[in-house]
């Protein structure tokens, strides 16, 4: 299959699956990051979630093909393009609305992806050589530990009646880094799968850390997404998750696999500016969703007798 078609197919399946995840999350009992076994059991018992998981796993299979044939500079803008149909789904199916700052953040993300596309040189697909397991572990462990810590210690406050609703930035970032880590492993997986299609190659892949890092990191990311979807708007959580994951994939993929970085000053500057715009877009998102905050009742003044 053509790598570009596989990338678009993976993107479509991923974000439709995320929309199904949102439906599943709204039907579940409250999920708590400091009760991880209970959260996992609740999620896995949901048939709606399992239906969405089938779609996401289909996207995973296509992403392995895409990352085996495309450079990250080409693949990342395609993956981020899935935010467009997800935005339409959020606006129409879930009735979500964006404020001016949030629309501006979306425009910055679109500009960042355009700059990445413009920074692509003429180099062909790169098949990375074998990566020592310790290097993959060194890249994978820090974001996974950070995400577990954020969920375990940062999700202790109960949903109070007067709590100020968060917009979902922390959930998106906490999920984005594990998912970006999973995609880093998928890149190595795709490179090995692209070398040959024999059964022996498949067995060789099972002897590498790629599939295991993919499963563990993706499972953690999906669990955080489900908790975020329960409390926040899907478009905010998914957008921040996407920016975090793809930025991590692009930068660390360059380090880990030797992905080509633009040699000329102009394209290299565009690539750096694109990452700066992506970070700025995340920082511009409001931290709280005050539209969901219950309005205080007017205080009645005691009448004088």
């Amino acid at each position: 299959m053509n790598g570009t078609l596989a990338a678009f197919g993976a993107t479509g399946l991923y974000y439709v699956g995320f929309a199904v995840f949102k439906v599943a999350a709204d039907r579940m009992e409250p999920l708590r990051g400091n009760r991880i076994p209970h959260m996992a059991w609740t999620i896995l018992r949901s048939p709606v979630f399992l239906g969405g998981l089938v779609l996401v796993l289909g996207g995973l299979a296509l992403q392995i093909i895409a990352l085996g044939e495309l450079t990250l500079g080409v693949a990342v803008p395609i993956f981020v393009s899935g935010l467009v149909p997800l935005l339409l789904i959020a606006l129409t199916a879930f009735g979500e609305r964006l404020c001016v700052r949030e629309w501006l953040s979306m425009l910055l993300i679109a500009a960042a992806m355009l700059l990445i596309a413009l920074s692509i040189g003429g180099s062909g697909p790169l098949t990375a050589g074998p990566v020592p397991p310790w290097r993959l572990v060194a890249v994978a462990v820090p974001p996974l530990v950070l995400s577990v810590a954020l969920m375990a210690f940062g999700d202790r406050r109960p949903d109070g009646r007067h709590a100020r609703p968060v917009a979902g930035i922390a959930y998106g970032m906490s999920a984005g880094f594990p998912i970006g880590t999973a995609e880093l492993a998928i890149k190595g997986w795709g490179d090995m799968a692209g070398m040959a299609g024999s059964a022996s190659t498949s067995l060789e892949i099972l002897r590498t850390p790629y599939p295991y890092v993919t499963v563990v990191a993706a499972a953690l990311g999906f669990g955080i997404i489900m908790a975020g979807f329960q409390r926040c708007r899907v478009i905010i959580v998914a957008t921040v998750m996407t920016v975090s994951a793809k930025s991590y994939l692009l930068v660390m993929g360059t380090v880990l696999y030797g992905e080509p970085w633009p040699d000329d000053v102009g394209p290299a500057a565009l690539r750096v500016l694109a990452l700066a715009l992506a970070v700025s877009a995340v920082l511009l998102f409001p931290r709280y969703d005050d539209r969901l905050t219950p309005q205080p009742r007017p205080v009645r003044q005691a009448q004088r007798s």
Side-chain angles (χ1 to χ4, degrees):
M1 178 183 290
N2 179 273
T4 302
L5 292 177
F8 277 112
T11 300
L13 288 175
Y14 273 142
Y15 287 100
V16 173
F18 288 157
V20 177
F21 284 175
K22 170 63 176 174
V23 175
D26 288 342
R27 298 181 180 183
M28 291 179 185
E29 59 185 281
L31 302 174
R32 289 290 173 199
N34 57 335
R35 301 172 60 195
I36 293 178
H38 174 266
M39 182 173 73
W41 176 244
T42 301
I43 292 172
L44 293 176
R45 283 189 305 155
S46 168
V48 179
F49 169 82
L50 295 178
L53 184 61
V54 171
L55 295 174
V56 171
L57 291 178
L60 168 64
L62 291 177
Q63 192 174 28
I64 292 173
I65 297 174
L67 289 177
E69 298 187 13
L70 301 176
T71 62
L72 292 178
V74 175
V76 166
I78 297 176
F79 293 153
V80 178
S81 68
L83 288 174
V84 175
L86 184 65
L87 175 61
L88 296 177
I89 293 172
L91 294 175
T92 57
F94 301 124
E96 297 183 359
R97 295 294 180 266
L98 300 178
C99 67
V100 174
R101 282 179 60 182
E102 291 165 346
W103 278 116
L104 182 56
S105 293
M106 293 293 183
L107 291 176
L108 289 177
I109 292 170
M113 293 308 106
L114 177 61
L115 292 179
I116 290 179
L118 292 176
S119 71
I120 298 171
S123 59
L126 173 72
T127 300
V131 174
W134 68 266
R135 291 183 61 187
L136 180 60
V137 172
V139 170
V141 169
L144 298 184
V145 171
L146 178 61
S147 295
V148 170
L150 287 173
M151 286 296 292
F153 300 106
D155 199 25
R156 290 182 177 274
R157 181 178 57 83
D159 293 327
R161 179 179 177 183
H162 301 290
R164 194 178 182 188
V166 295
I169 309 302
Y171 284 110
M173 294 186 68
S174 299
F177 290 116
I179 290 177
T181 301
E183 291 175 330
L184 275 173
I186 289 171
K187 170 61 181 171
W189 192 345
D191 287 337
M192 287 195 66
M195 293 179 186
S198 63
S200 60
T201 303
S202 299
L203 293 177
E204 285 295 325
I205 292 173
L206 293 177
R207 298 189 185 103
T208 70
Y210 297 133
Y212 311 106
V213 171
T214 300
V215 171
V216 172
L220 176 60
F222 292 161
I224 297 173
I225 284 177
M226 294 299 292
F229 283 174
Q230 273 196 342
R231 298 165 173 80
C232 313
R233 286 170 292 160
V234 60
I235 190 59
I236 302 301
V237 176
T239 298
V240 176
M241 179 273 295
T242 299
V243 173
S244 303
K246 281 17 177 196
S247 298
Y248 193 73
L249 172 63
L250 183 63
V251 174
M252 298 310 300
T254 303
V255 175
L256 193 62
Y257 300 113
E259 279 279 328
W261 191 268
D263 294 327
D264 297 334
V265 175
L270 290 178
R271 184 73 58 91
V272 173
L273 180 58
L275 292 173
L277 286 179
V279 173
S280 300
V282 173
L283 295 177
L284 185 61
F285 275 116
R287 295 296 178 268
Y288 297 97
D289 197 345
D290 290 328
R291 288 171 295 179
L292 300 179
T293 303
Q295 297 298 322
R297 296 179 179 179
V299 179
R300 296 181 180 178
Q301 295 182 351
Q303 296 180 352
R304 296 181 178 179
S305 56

